[in-house]
Amino acid sequence: MPATRIWLKNPLAIFTANTLDARGGLVVEHGRIHEVLGLGQSPATPCDHVFDAREHVLLPGLINTHHHFYQTLTRAWAPVVNQPLFPWLKTLYPVWARLTPERLKVATQVALAELLLSGCTTAADHHYLFPEGLEEAIDVQVESVRELGMRAMLTRGSMSLGEADGGLPPQQTVQQGEVILADSQRLIHSYHERGDGAQIQIALAPCSPFSVTREIMQASASLATELDVRLHTHLAETLDEEDFCLQRFGLRTVDYLDSVGWLGPRTWLAHGIHFNPDEIVRLGEAGTGICHCPSSNMRLASGICPTVDLSNAGAPIGLGVDGSASNDASNMILEARQALYLQRLRYGAQAITPERVLGWATRGSAQLLGRNDIGELAPGKQADLALFKLDELRFSGSHDPLSALLLCGADRADRVMVGGRWRVIDGHIDGLDLNALIANHRQAATALMAG
Ligand SMILES: [Zn+2]
C-alpha cells in the first residue's frame, strides 16, 4: 500500500455521494481518504505529492453490481440480436457450454479492463456456467481481478434445473446440488475477505427461478447465513419468468423468493422489473437490494425497473451493466447515462437527476454489496476514485461539469485509483497491453463459435 500522502487538489467538480463540501479536493494516505477539503482549504499537514485536478471531474470509483464477464465472447452475435430473453438464452446456452478456462480468462480480462477504463473500481460478476473442465471458473476470475488491481464480488452462480426436469438450460450446463454447495464452501473459505478494504469477496448466486431447483435456493440461503456472505440472483426480469413461476411453483416471483428464505437484506437482485405495489413494499421492508440494468432491459425489451418506488419503499438501488451478450458494453459511466434517460421515461426529468443516478452507481451499489468502506468520498473510506477530463469534442461548449459527464456521454476515465494506487493513468491501464488483449480475445470469441 502506498505510504505517500497525496493531495488531489481543487477538482473542476466533485461528487462525493454525501453532503460534504469537497471543493478543495481530497488527501489520500495509506490507501484511504484521509481528509476532505472544503473550498479554499489546504491539507492539515504537508503532502508528498500534489495532483492538480483542476481539469478533472472527480467521482467515487463506480461500482458495477451485475455482470457475466464470460459473455464478452458473445457480443452482437447475429442469431440473437433481435431476440427477447428466453429464446436469446436458449440459443446462447449451447455456445456458452463450450467455455474453457483459457476462454474465460481472456473474457474476464476484457470485461474488467473495459470496466476499469470507464471509471469502475469494484465489479460484481455472476458466473453460473461450470461445464466439464471449467470447474475452477471462479479461481480463474480471482486471478484476473488481482492482476488488474481492482476489487470484485465474484458470485458462485449455479444452474441445477435442466430441460429434462422442466428448466430452461440444456442438461450439459447444469450441476448437481452437492457439487454446487461443496464448491461454494471451498470458494468462500479460499477467497472471501472480510472488513474494510477487501479486494475479493464471494457471494452465492443460483442463476434464476427457471434454471435452479427450489432446494438449491434454500440451501444457498442457509449456507450464506451460516458463512455470512451475500446472496444474488436474477428476479422479475421478464413476464416469461413470472409465467414460469406461476406454472411451476404456483407463486409470483417475490412470493417464490420469500418461500425459499431469500427476502431479506442479505440479498440483491438483478433487474427487478415486474413487481406489483404490494411486492415493492415487501422488498423495501426487507431491505432487499435491486440492481438496475438499463441497457440490457432495453436491448431485450424486458421492461423498466421501478427504481424510485423501490427506493421510496426502502430498497437500496444500484447499477449494473449486465452481461455483454445483452448490453453489449461493459461501460459503467455510459450505463449511468442510460439509467438517467430510461428512468426519466418512467419518472420524469425532474425526479431523475445526474446526482441521483451517480448515487446509484456509487453509494447505492456499495449498499447492494454490503459494503460501507467504498462508494462515497469521506474520511476513512477507501481511496477508490474515478477522474474524468472534459477535453474531448463531445464536451465542447458544456457548462455544468458534473451534468456534462452524463449528458455529453463521457465514456472513458482519464485516471482511476483503487485503494490509493493509480490503475489508470492518462486513459491507459498501468501495465496492460490492451492491443494484445484485444487480439487474444477476438481469437477466443471466434474459436468459441467454431466449437
Ligand atoms: Zn444477468
Side-chain angles (χ1 to χ4, degrees):
M1 191 172 298
T4 51
R5 209 170 134 78
I6 175 171
W7 179 16
L8 294 110
K9 185 181 174 184
N10 298 338
L12 174 66
I14 185 161
F15 173 77
T16 57
N18 55 42
T19 55
L20 292 174
D21 174 9
R23 285 174 291 173
L26 307 171
V27 176
V28 168
E29 192 177 26
H30 297 303
R32 292 182 192 233
I33 297 168
H34 189 69
E35 272 183 89
V36 171
L37 303 168
L39 186 64
Q41 290 182 329
S42 299
T45 54
C47 290
D48 309 309
H49 295 292
V50 176
F51 178 83
D52 181 351
R54 85 184 106 167
E55 290 182 18
H56 290 91
V57 181
L58 208 167
L59 310 177
L62 304 176
I63 301 171
N64 182 45
T65 56
H66 186 66
H67 204 315
H68 310 284
F69 295 157
Y70 73 88
Q71 289 183 9
T72 58
L73 294 167
T74 51
R75 295 202 245 221
W77 186 43
V80 295
V81 165
N82 305 312
Q83 297 292 340
L85 184 68
F86 275 20
W88 174 91
L89 278 170
K90 287 190 144 203
T91 312
L92 280 162
Y93 282 138
V95 177
W96 293 337
R98 299 197 290 263
L99 217 53
T100 61
E102 296 71 31
R103 290 167 181 170
L104 177 64
K105 170 94 186 172
V106 72
T108 300
Q109 288 171 325
V110 158
L112 288 172
E114 205 182 350
L115 284 166
L116 187 56
L117 286 169
S118 74
C120 175
T121 49
T122 300
D125 192 62
H126 189 174
H127 188 89
Y128 49 82
L129 282 164
F130 298 83
E132 215 183 315
L134 191 59
E135 290 80 4
E136 298 193 346
I138 307 296
D139 308 70
V140 169
Q141 294 190 320
V142 167
E143 199 179 289
S144 298
V145 172
R146 286 180 175 158
E147 281 167 9
L148 278 170
M150 295 172 72
R151 299 183 204 281
M153 172 68 89
L154 299 171
T155 75
R156 204 301 178 184
S158 53
M159 297 206 291
S160 59
L161 186 69
E163 268 174 329
D165 302 306
L168 205 68
Q171 271 337 102
Q172 76 266 32
T173 60
V174 304
Q175 287 183 300
Q176 294 296 319
E178 313 83 76
V179 175
I180 293 166
L181 294 169
D183 194 44
S184 299
Q185 296 199 37
R186 175 186 73 84
L187 290 166
I188 295 166
H189 292 309
S190 304
Y191 299 118
H192 185 71
E193 297 170 32
R194 299 179 193 272
D196 275 16
Q199 183 179 18
I200 306 275
Q201 295 194 313
I202 304 288
L204 303 184
C207 188
S208 61
F210 50 83
S211 58
V212 294
T213 56
R214 218 176 216 296
E215 292 69 35
I216 208 70
M217 288 295 283
Q218 286 166 329
S220 298
S222 304
L223 188 60
T225 306
E226 186 192 325
L227 299 180
D228 191 21
V229 296
R230 298 185 78 78
L231 287 166
H232 180 53
T233 191
H234 294 97
L235 201 86
E237 181 175 3
T238 65
L239 292 172
D240 282 354
E241 177 201 325
E242 187 176 300
D243 290 344
F244 181 94
C245 288
L246 284 167
Q247 278 174 21
R248 186 173 178 94
F249 310 115
L251 296 170
R252 288 177 53 79
T253 54
V254 174
D255 292 326
Y256 173 64
L257 198 73
D258 198 3
S259 77
V260 289
W262 275 58
L263 196 59
R266 191 182 292 284
T267 301
W268 90 102
L269 305 170
H271 306 297
I273 296 168
H274 301 283
F275 297 134
N276 65 32
D278 170 58
E279 290 163 346
I280 288 173
V281 169
R282 287 165 64 198
L283 287 159
E285 281 174 354
T288 300
I290 308 291
C291 167
H292 177 36
C293 304
S295 296
S296 171
N297 297 161
M298 288 189 273
R299 187 188 141 170
L300 299 173
S302 303
I304 306 178
C305 174
T307 53
V308 174
D309 295 272
L310 284 158
S311 175
N312 289 344
I317 304 294
L319 278 193
V321 298
D322 201 1
S324 300
S326 67
N327 180 317
D328 299 15
S330 304
N331 191 305
M332 265 305 279
I333 192 72
L334 281 178
E335 201 61 22
R337 182 177 207 247
Q338 297 278 51
L340 179 83
Y341 289 146
L342 180 61
Q343 290 298 319
R344 281 187 174 195
L345 287 179
R346 184 155 192 153
Y347 293 107
Q350 288 176 328
I352 308 297
T353 62
E355 290 81 2
R356 182 170 208 159
V357 173
L358 289 171
W360 292 338
T362 53
R363 198 173 169 163
S365 281
Q367 267 184 285
L368 262 53
L369 303 185
R371 298 188 70 146
N372 58 18
D373 60 329
I374 55 173
E376 63 179 306
L377 306 180
K381 304 287 176 186
Q382 293 296 308
D384 290 8
L385 311 172
L387 288 80
F388 293 84
K389 264 189 170 175
L390 305 181
D391 55 356
E392 287 173 59
L393 185 60
R394 65 178 71 213
F395 300 109
S396 181
S398 65
H399 297 276
D400 176 54
L402 195 66
S403 305
L405 271 190
L406 300 191
L407 301 185
C408 302
D411 68 347
R412 192 159 177 159
D414 180 61
R415 290 229 167 198
V416 180
M417 179 183 275
V418 185
R421 282 184 197 278
W422 289 118
R423 297 304 307 128
V424 174
I425 297 172
D426 299 335
H428 297 280
I429 297 173
D430 195 27
L432 181 76
D433 182 345
L434 201 59
N435 289 329
L437 174 59
I438 293 170
N440 286 343
H441 187 252
R442 281 205 177 134
Q443 215 169 37
T446 307
L448 182 70
M449 288 306 171

